């Protein structure tokens, strides 16, 4: 239940969801390779943020961690050709 989670926690979960919500690549090697690299990078960012929070290293706060994740995600936008039918891999 979202009522059990404070606002900063919900904000962080939303940032994680946004970071991992990437469209499926077109069915060609270049797009699929770019997709894999993007997902790996974004997963690395998410793991770092979660690790800091769980280890008590989020000294600037949960909101800062969510903003950091959004900034890092924006640095790695989707640039590959996308699957036109909107499917997920």
């Amino acid at each position: 239940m979202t009522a059990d989670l404070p606002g900063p926690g919900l904000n962080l979960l939303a940032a994680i969801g946004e970071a991992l919500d990437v469209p499926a690549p077109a069915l060609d090697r270049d797009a699929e390779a770019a997709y894999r690299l993007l997902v790996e990078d974004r997963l690395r960012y998410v793991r770092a943020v979660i690790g800091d929070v769980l280890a008590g290293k989020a000294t600037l706060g949960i909101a800062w961690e969510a903003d950091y994740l959004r900034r890092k995600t924006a640095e790695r936008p989707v640039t590959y050709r996308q699957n036109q039918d909107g499917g997920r891999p």
Side-chain angles (χ1 to χ4, degrees):
M1 229 184 211
T2 59
D4 297 335
L5 196 59
L10 287 175
N11 184 32
L12 180 58
L13 289 176
I16 291 169
E18 293 161 13
L20 299 178
D21 185 22
V22 295
L27 300 177
D28 65 65
R29 285 183 195 246
D30 290 340
E32 291 172 353
Y35 168 83
R36 279 192 302 276
L37 290 173
L38 175 73
V39 169
E40 288 171 7
D41 284 349
R42 289 188 176 191
L43 279 171
R44 192 170 29 258
Y45 305 148
V46 167
R47 286 184 186 123
V49 166
I50 291 172
D52 284 351
V53 170
L54 293 177
K57 296 179 182 177
T59 57
L60 297 175
I62 301 296
W64 186 92
E65 296 288 336
D67 290 341
Y68 169 82
L69 184 54
R70 287 189 174 103
R71 285 192 308 275
K72 296 303 284 183
T73 299
E75 290 174 7
R76 286 289 280 126
V78 173
T79 58
Y80 54 82
R81 285 188 336 105
Q82 298 173 27
N83 186 330
Q84 296 305 310
D85 70 10
R88 294 273 186 232

